Each structure stands twice: as C-alpha cells, then as structure tokens.
Amino acid sequence: MQRSAIAVGAVVAVAGAAAVAFTLPSLAGTEDTGASKAKSSTPGGLSPDLLAAMKRDLGLDGEQAATRLARSEWAGGVSATLAAQTGEDFGGAWLASDGTTLKVAVTDSAAASAVKAAGAVPVLVKRSEAELDAAKTKLDAAAAKASGLTGWYVDVATNKVVVVARPGEKPEALALAKRAGLSSDAVTVKISDARPKPLFDVRGADPYFINVGGGQARCSIGFSVTTGFVTAGHCGAEGAATTGFNNQAQGTVEFSVFPGEADMGFVAVNGDWTPRPVVNDFKGNELPVAGNTEAPVGAAICRSGSTTGTFCGTILAKNQTVRYPEGAVTGLTRTDVCAEGGDSGGPWLSGDQAQGVTSGGSGDCTVGGETFFQPLNEILAAQNLTLVTTEGAGGEAPPATTPPAEEGEEASACDALPVQRTGTINRTGQAQAQPNGGAYRARAGTHTACLDAPEGADFDLVLQRANNRGQFRTVAQSAGNGDKTLSFTGNSGTYRYVVVASSGTGAYSLGFNVQ
C-alpha cells in the first residue's frame, strides 16, 4: 500500500504570469562540494539537523531517534516479507505508537506463527489488506457525486476504511459507503474541516521552474534519479521545459500524472546538471539519501521545504484517496507533518531512506496540519527509474546471495530468498498458484523469484498481477529448460506466482521476495 501529498496556505497561481518575484537563497549543494556535511559522530551517523527536527517535533533525543529510524527500516523489510509469506491472510502492518513495535494483522490464526517468528506482534482481524483495498477501490468508483468529502483511506490498525468528511457531511459519507456496497462495520467516518489542495508555484529542496504559456510556475525537486529527478505530477505537463534555480536551461518533463491514479512526475535533465544523492535543508546542510526502503504506518518521517524548513512527524495511513479541486488522487500517504505553500514536490525522508514527494494537504506550521505525499517507489516503478544514493545507484533489488551448501549438498540460489514454498505437479500441463493456491499484497518494488524444477522436467514460472476487477494478468515469466529465475519491478498490488508443467512432473521448490 502507498502514496502521499500536502498543501497549506494560499496557492499562488502562476500559469500565464510573466514571472514570480522572490529572492534566491544561498543554496547548499548547487556546486559539487564533495561529501555531505552530516556529522558521522551523531547517533546512527544521521544528519544533526534531522535529529534536531525529530527532537523538536517528536520529543526524541539522538539515541531514541536513531533507534526509531533503524527500527522503521527493519519493519519495512519485514512487512514486505510477511505480506508475501502470509499471502491472502495478510491484513496490513504498522508500527505502534512507541515507534518500535511492529504489528502485523492476519485473518487466520495459523499465520500468527510466521509473524511471531519474524519478531512482530500478530493481530487477528476480520478483513485482509486485499479486501480493504478492494473496498477502497469501490469508494473510488462510486465517488462521482461525493462533493462534501475530502478523501478516504485504508486504516490497517482498525481494519476499516476511513472516509473523511467535512463538518455536517457525515450522511454523505455514509451514502457513499452504501453506494459502494460496503458493510457499515467496515467503514469509519472522520470529520475534518481541512481542505487539501496542491501546492503550485512553490519550491522544496531546490526550486525549479516550469514554462507555462508565456510565464513560469515554480516547484521543488524531489529526489535525484540517474537521468534527472522526480517530483509531483501537478508541477508540470509532459513536454514542458524546465529551468533551474539559476535560470539556466535544465530539462524536460518526460512523465506526469495528476489527478487520478497518482501525483507523480519525472524531469529528464540535460548534460549541464548532475543528479546528487542529497536533500537541501536550507540551513547550509545536505541530508544524505542512502536508499528507498519504504517505512510502515507509524514510522517517523521528515520533509524538507524552502518555506518552512525541516519538519518531522509520523506516517498515519497509506493508499489514501484525496479529493483536490482539480480531481481526486488515489494512493497518497497521510502524515501529521506540517507544511506550507512553497513545499510542493519536495522530498520526504525516514532517516536516510527516501519515501516520497510532497503533493498536497491542509493547515500550516503555526497551527499544525495534515500532509500527503506521493510514494517514491511507485514513481521509480512507473518509469523504470533508478534512485541516486550515497552508495551509488540504488532503487533496485540486491542480487540474491547463496548460502554455503552442506557437505554433499548442491547449493541453490532459491534457498537464499526469504519466502519458500513447495509443491508437486502430477500431470503435464497442470499449473499451481503460489503462495498456497492464493496471492499476496506487495508494495511497489522489485519481485525476485527462483524455481527449482524436478530433474528432467520443464516447469515455467509466471508472475501475475490482479487488475481492478480482480482478474490476474501475466506481467513477467521465465520459460525454457532447467531452473528458472525471474525479476520484475512493478507498482503496489496483488500478485501471485504460477508454476506451469510444460513437460514432466514432480516436486518443485519456489523462493521469492519483494524489495
């Protein structure tokens, strides 16, 4: 599950304007000065400015902040593995209010042992995450006339879908749920007078400008990828030319989605610009970007914005649909971090792990607010982009490592993958779905699988993803003689593997994972 956005204060319309007057700050990192200024002596090697923001907003000292961020990164990997391991029984995962206890919902008590073995706390629930997402999709389809509502999302902690309504509009929320065919016990109505809107004409980590007619709009760079940078989709239509903070030609908007399924954009830069794995905090520091492990609900998160600086908070929900004046956007991540006009498109970090780009929201940093961001991994998957990190190009699944074989036993690369399933096919042409005849929920990322087929048999490996109607479509496959390996980078959704006996019969083993 994923996605996100924010907006606060007035939106400054710039389409058709001649220019936007502002004073350029001294931008750290506009020249290649080498290593990040973050002090390695801080707990966990984290930026001292990021730690200071977490202390101010979350009440954490240095050691507590480092511990919580390390736990968030661990929880993100464990959650993805358990989602695949428990398949259709998976009900979602979140960090408790202490920021360190990982809770994993399952619909079958038999799956609880796998959750406990992974170091998490099992919670038995009525509805799987796939069922909750399907309920939210029904709300998306039924919401054409939901004028009094500002959004809806899956709340895995309560195992319900939450509909956000303006004051006095609870009947409209209940009517929407009824039109969508949802049972009353599956829906909670939340009343909020917040009015989310996109942040146009703003800058986040570093500003850039989009040519719009005879004028310019201003937005913010999110994260560097090997050929440019990602940002919010509402920050420019495909084909629009961009210029940088120095008014020099920068690149072209190659990809933009807004509103609808996402608020994601990608700008390809020219040879005069060098993407770097840092975030400008506008205090003379560069926050390092080391990877893109997705943090779970309940994790601490921080964003950088040129209007308000660096602020931190907590991830509250994922896969929220937000109704902007321009139209609804689905798949955003909700947070309690404040922001103001001037932060749109900017980067979100959990420690040194990239999370997403600012989309829209409400409130401000005086009274507080609610902020949404578009998950980064979905942008990377949509355009096959590679995140630039401090360790080199990132955003891809690491190669599987093979454990040493026991004496007299041949090592198998399949054994190195964390989710293991076995089966037996007794007839040529027969097929079996895994895990356990069902499917599993996966976040955006790279699926890696390995199939050990019986000697002398030809078994094919197929990866399928469910569409909005619940029908499975093949997205990747590996055929031919011998054992099979498969790698596929895709959006979040419901997936399954299918093992097909093209010739021969016998027992097989399948290992897989999602990064």
Side-chain angles (χ1 to χ4, degrees), residues 170-498:
K170 183 175 181 179
E172 175 63 25
L174 296 175
L176 171 63
K178 185 175 181 180
R179 288 199 303 273
L182 305 186
S183 61
S184 58
D185 69 336
V187 179
T188 297
V189 178
K190 174 186 175 182
I191 304 299
S192 172
D193 59 4
R195 295 175 180 263
K197 56 185 180 291
L199 302 180
F200 291 95
D201 186 34
V202 293
R203 54 181 177 172
D206 273 355
Y208 72 100
F209 302 88
I210 309 97
N211 295 334
V212 181
Q216 287 185 325
R218 172 162 48 88
C219 271
S220 307
I221 293 172
F223 290 99
S224 293
V225 294
T226 52
T227 53
F229 60 86
V230 297
T231 185
H234 72 259
C235 286
E238 292 180 8
T242 69
T243 55
F245 72 94
N246 53 5
N247 291 318
Q248 299 297 307
Q250 181 189 65
T252 304
V253 178
E254 296 288 343
F255 173 69
S256 177
V257 177
F258 176 84
E261 292 299 315
D263 186 6
M264 60 174 71
F266 161 60
V267 174
V269 299
N270 61 41
D272 294 335
W273 295 80
T274 302
R276 297 182 58 220
V278 295
V279 168
N280 182 3
D281 72 351
F282 294 93
K283 294 181 180 179
N285 304 290
E286 293 178 342
L287 307 178
V289 179
N292 56 317
T293 298
E294 182 181 334
V297 171
I301 194 165
C302 302
R303 62 150 193 85
S304 175
S306 62
T307 299
T308 56
T310 302
F311 279 85
C312 303
T314 303
I315 295 176
L316 302 178
K318 298 189 179 186
N319 195 17
Q320 175 160 345
T321 296
V322 178
R323 289 172 59 88
Y324 294 128
E326 295 80 3
V329 177
T330 189
L332 301 179
T333 297
R334 183 165 64 96
T335 77
D336 60 4
V337 184
C338 73
E340 298 181 7
D343 297 325
S344 189
W348 289 71
L349 289 165
S350 181
D352 57 8
Q353 298 297 303
Q355 299 298 312
V357 299
T358 299
S359 173
S362 59
D364 59 37
C365 288
T366 300
V367 300
E370 193 173 63
T371 298
F372 306 90
F373 68 81
Q374 163 67 48
L376 170 67
N377 286 343
E378 293 194 0
I379 313 178
L380 300 179
Q383 289 293 289
N384 195 27
L385 301 172
T386 300
L387 182 69
V388 177
T389 69
T390 53
E391 303 300 322
E396 299 175 346
T401 55
T402 304
E406 298 291 337
E407 186 175 351
E409 177 186 356
E410 184 178 351
S412 169
C414 299
D415 296 337
L417 296 170
V419 182
Q420 297 289 322
R421 291 293 182 270
T422 59
T424 300
I425 296 181
N426 298 316
R427 176 169 50 86
T428 297
Q430 185 180 3
Q432 288 185 354
Q434 292 287 2
N436 305 329
Y440 64 96
R441 286 287 302 169
R443 63 190 184 188
T446 300
H447 301 250
T448 303
C450 178
L451 174 69
D452 274 344
E455 186 175 353
D458 180 10
F459 282 15
D460 296 333
L461 179 60
V462 179
L463 177 64
Q464 296 182 330
R465 183 178 187 270
N467 60 21
N468 291 336
R469 296 180 298 277
Q471 301 169 326
F472 282 92
R473 296 287 184 266
T474 297
V475 294
Q477 59 184 337
S478 179
N481 296 323
D483 296 338
K484 308 297 189 303
T485 59
L486 181 150
S487 181
F488 171 76
T489 300
N491 292 333
S492 61
T494 300
Y495 291 83
R496 72 180 182 187
Y497 286 99
V498 179

